[in-house]
Amino acid sequence: MGKKLRGADIVWESLVEEGVEVVFGYPGGAILPAYDALNNYREKIHHVLVRHEQGATHMADGYARASGKVGCAMATSGPGATNMVTGLATAMLDSSPIVCITGQVPSGAIGGDAFQEVDVTGVTIPVTKHNYLVTDVNEIASTIREAFYVARTGRPGPVLVDITKDALNAVIEDFEYPTYTISLPGYKPPAPVTNEQVVAALELINKAKKPVILAGHGVLISGAMNEVLELSRKGNIPVTTTLLGIGGVPASHPLNMGMMGMHGEACANHAIQEADLLIACGMRFDDRVTGNVSTYSPNSKKIHIEIDPTEINKNIKVDIALNTDLMVALRQINPGVTFNDRSEWLHRIRDWQEDANQRDILQMKTPTLMAAQAIRAIWEGTAGNALVVSDVGQHQMLECQYYQHESPYTLLTSGGLGTMGFSVPAAIGASFHKQDREIWVIVGDGCVQMTIMEFATAVQENANIKICIINNGYLGMVRQWQQLFYDARYAETPISSPDYVKLADAYGMPGYRVSKLEDAIPTMRKAQEHKGPVVIEFVVEQHDMVYPMVPAGADLHAMIRRPHRQFAEMEM
Amino acid sequence: MKQILIASVEDKPGVLNRVSSLFRRRNFNIESLAVGHSEVPGVSRMTIVTDEVEQLRRAIVRSNVEKLVNVIEVDDVTDLPCVVRETALIKVTADTTKRREVMDFAEMYRARIVDVANETLIVEITGESSKIDALIEVLTPIGISEIMRTGKIAMRRGAVAPRTNGATA
Ligand SMILES: Cc1ncc(C[n+]2csc(CCOP(=O)(O)OP(=O)(O)O)c2C)c(N)n1
């Protein structure tokens, strides 16, 4: 015999059944019944009151990326739901599993432009993996259950469940949570690859002279870190990662060349261009990693291991497509991989690396604190063990270059959508996943001001996050484009900031300012001693650039490089 | 040659919107789309015609449609033996002096006159799109005031059936 429950209670009942421990949300008219019912579930679910619904989605996303579980956010109808669109799109492009629950006007009022009515399922079709409109109390539990299933399986992604107020208010006399096996007629897990495909792939891998492994976000989503490392070690094959693939292969692995693409390592980009075989593992040949597709890796055969069939041959035509889960595919392939000396190829890569070392900003004496130095200091001060949440811009790319990630799931960043304002809320979300790691945010002065209201959430929840604002006084990455491609005509890129130390104080958290490199680590120590949110502002050189840079649409090997002795002759 | 897809989809609100939204978002062009109930309760069937010509692009269109959660199955039947038909209603402006001519053309094309009024006739024709185009061409000089076409519907010849046939949704 089941329980007598309101639809609103069934929402929470379902979330508990799905293993949800924390919900990030904001109340309002249409979702009010659910907030009323929340009081019956306080012991099982913690609710975080955000300051803007975009923040709720990024928090759910950060929680999901850090924990591997599905993140959950809640909002009211109309403006509450539309505020979630950016967060849904962010999660969509980065394959992050979140479920957003929104209230909707009563079913009888739908279509009449009722107060706070928006066609939320219509608006969010392009930015969700799937979405639902629930108007019947009997369908709330089964729909939420299905939503979690769709969000976490296959290629993960965001799912939205829009529930009308009358369904939330209706009562079921005999409620029991469904237990049947979910089987959706149009939603199929990928089949394993055939033996012929494995043999064909091995043939290419074992005879390649200049192979490169491209490790993407799929490595982390599939959990195929060991398998990729084994492929690299067994075959003696160099690896490069995408932005979201960082951490999928330890930075210290001798064959890891670092990140590829627009601001990737020169050696990785050169290696891709000269390769005779690319083994693409859970990545999608985004334009930020390929540059000009018509000149991309022109002499290589390409193997693409990818769970999403729509990614195959989308941007780059491949020779062998293995449309399945990465871990499954590599477990089929790895046993047949043979060791290969490849000393000539590896030497060539080492030469490129040495050239890059000589251009490295850290090797130069600079007149002011550079963003790269600040980030390197954050790496040192956290012994390379932090969970870093970065935002979007120059500081994001420098983080990839100067923070060496040894472990998976230690870098959370908005890759595909490049959503400014992601980092602070995502870090708050990640802090609800129990873990030993410190959480450090690396955020620009532009980005932090996009979601700065979430400072209040961080303080209210005493989220143990350290927010490092890399303040260069500019929307730096856009300024860089204006300098390089628009003759330094800076239009609306200088940006003012509040006094972050005072602002931190006003929000009720410690705030520090660092302008000299030697102050970095001691200040970090102070921040580490405080259990709770802390702001550290790093005041850095305003006009530095991120190198290398492949201009948008240019050939991947046509990188703009830092001059060898940029600061040597500079007057101090 | 146009690409022809036959999709079996769950008969749920908004599914047509999801399919058309996908085409717009991915910048695929829908030439025509026809949808109706199938032999299975709860399953609708769509015939989608696109102007994609390249094999790789066609495969991507197909896999994108199939990826939609409410889409059960998609067949690309472009290169398979199929019956492909379209229906059109053509309203011709013809007073009594011209009616005979319209009726002769209709007979020639195995079309039917389904409505006669003082000034107009409606001709109904079913067939391959090229046949409909040809009838439209010969009727144009007489005076066409309105055309309504269904878009193509397609079915594979012989004893092949969609996987959804006989299944419950
Ligand atoms: C929501 C949003 N608006 C605009 C942009 C375009 N954009 C990309 S990077 C950037 C500048 C970021 O500035 P800042 O946070 O100061 O970081 P910096 O590049 O200086 O390190 C801008 C405006 C974006 N990615 N996201």
Side-chain angles (χ1 to χ4, degrees), chain A residues 297-368:
Chain A
S297 192
N299 304 316
S300 62
K301 295 273 187 210
K302 295 167 187 81
I303 300 171
H304 195 182
I305 312 173
E306 168 58 49
I307 195 165
D308 181 352
T310 68
E311 293 296 348
I312 288 165
N313 292 317
K314 184 179 82 175
N315 298 334
I316 297 290
K317 192 180 156 323
V318 298
D319 300 278
I320 297 179
L322 307 179
N323 175 213
T324 192
D325 177 71
L326 181 63
M327 190 197 283
V328 173
L330 287 182
R331 285 190 177 170
Q332 286 175 272
I333 289 170
N334 282 348
V337 174
T338 53
F339 187 86
N340 201 316
D341 175 49
R342 311 193 207 282
S343 54
E344 212 176 306
W345 180 225
L346 297 177
H347 267 118
R348 188 143 175 76
I349 291 170
R350 214 154 299 140
D351 288 345
W352 288 318
Q353 275 165 337
E354 255 147 47
D355 172 65
N357 289 343
Q358 287 170 19
R359 299 167 188 266
D360 189 346
I361 185 84
L362 296 188
Q363 307 299 325
M364 298 177 196
K365 199 164 152 32
T366 58
T368 43

Side-chain angles (χ1 to χ4, degrees), chain A residues 115-392:
Chain A
F115 178 63
Q116 296 196 324
E117 183 193 356
V118 163
D119 171 14
V120 172
T121 40
V123 166
T124 57
I125 281 178
V127 292
T128 52
K129 181 173 174 185
H130 196 51
N131 64 21
Y132 302 85
L133 171 64
V134 183
T135 56
D136 177 354
V137 64
N138 292 297
E139 286 172 9
I140 292 177
S142 58
T143 306
I144 291 179
R145 190 160 174 258
E146 196 175 302
F148 275 79
Y149 171 74
V150 169
R152 71 172 173 259
T153 52
R155 179 179 177 175
V159 178
L160 179 135
V161 183
D162 197 26
I163 311 176
T164 57
K165 195 170 183 179
D166 52 327
L168 291 173
N169 281 329
V171 174
I172 292 188
E173 292 297 332
D174 184 13
F175 174 77
E176 264 170 283
Y177 199 66
T179 51
Y180 56 83
T181 317
I182 296 178
S183 143
L184 305 175
Y187 187 75
K188 311 158 260 316
V193 291
T194 65
N195 218 30
E196 292 87 86
Q197 287 176 298
V198 172
V199 170
L202 277 171
E203 160 102 19
L204 289 183
I205 293 169
N206 287 334
K207 75 164 206 267
K209 294 204 167 55
K210 299 189 282 182
V212 175
I213 297 168
L214 312 178
H217 196 193
V219 176
L220 296 120
I221 296 173
S222 169
M225 287 74 69
N226 288 337
E227 286 73 12
V228 171
L229 197 58
E230 186 187 356
L231 173 65
S232 169
R233 285 202 180 124
K234 245 186 133 180
N236 201 23
I237 305 171
V239 193
T240 170
T241 68
T242 65
L243 170 61
L244 296 186
I246 286 176
V249 182
S252 60
H253 172 48
L255 293 170
N256 186 353
M257 299 182 285
M259 187 173 72
M260 66 180 95
M262 183 174 272
H263 295 291
E265 303 296 331
C267 62
N269 289 345
H270 282 307
I272 288 169
Q273 290 302 79
E274 286 194 15
D276 63 358
L277 175 69
L278 298 183
I279 311 164
C281 297
M283 55 84 74
R284 60 186 174 90
F285 296 104
D286 178 82
D287 57 85
R288 287 301 190 259
V289 307
T290 60
N292 180 358
V293 289
S294 63
T295 59
Y296 180 73
S297 192
N299 304 316
S300 62
K301 295 273 187 210
K302 295 167 187 81
I303 300 171
H304 195 182
I305 312 173
E306 168 58 49
I307 195 165
D308 181 352
T310 68
E311 293 296 348
I312 288 165
N313 292 317
K314 184 179 82 175
N315 298 334
I316 297 290
K317 192 180 156 323
V318 298
D319 300 278
I320 297 179
L322 307 179
N323 175 213
T324 192
D325 177 71
L326 181 63
M327 190 197 283
V328 173
L330 287 182
R331 285 190 177 170
Q332 286 175 272
I333 289 170
N334 282 348
V337 174
T338 53
F339 187 86
N340 201 316
D341 175 49
R342 311 193 207 282
S343 54
E344 212 176 306
W345 180 225
L346 297 177
H347 267 118
R348 188 143 175 76
I349 291 170
R350 214 154 299 140
D351 288 345
W352 288 318
Q353 275 165 337
E354 255 147 47
D355 172 65
N357 289 343
Q358 287 170 19
R359 299 167 188 266
D360 189 346
I361 185 84
L362 296 188
Q363 307 299 325
M364 298 177 196
K365 199 164 152 32
T366 58
T368 43
L369 177 62
M370 309 301 281
Q373 294 163 340
I375 287 164
R376 182 44 70 102
I378 295 169
W379 174 69
E380 280 172 23
T382 57
N385 271 325
L387 168 66
V388 179
V389 189
S390 65
D391 222 292
V392 176

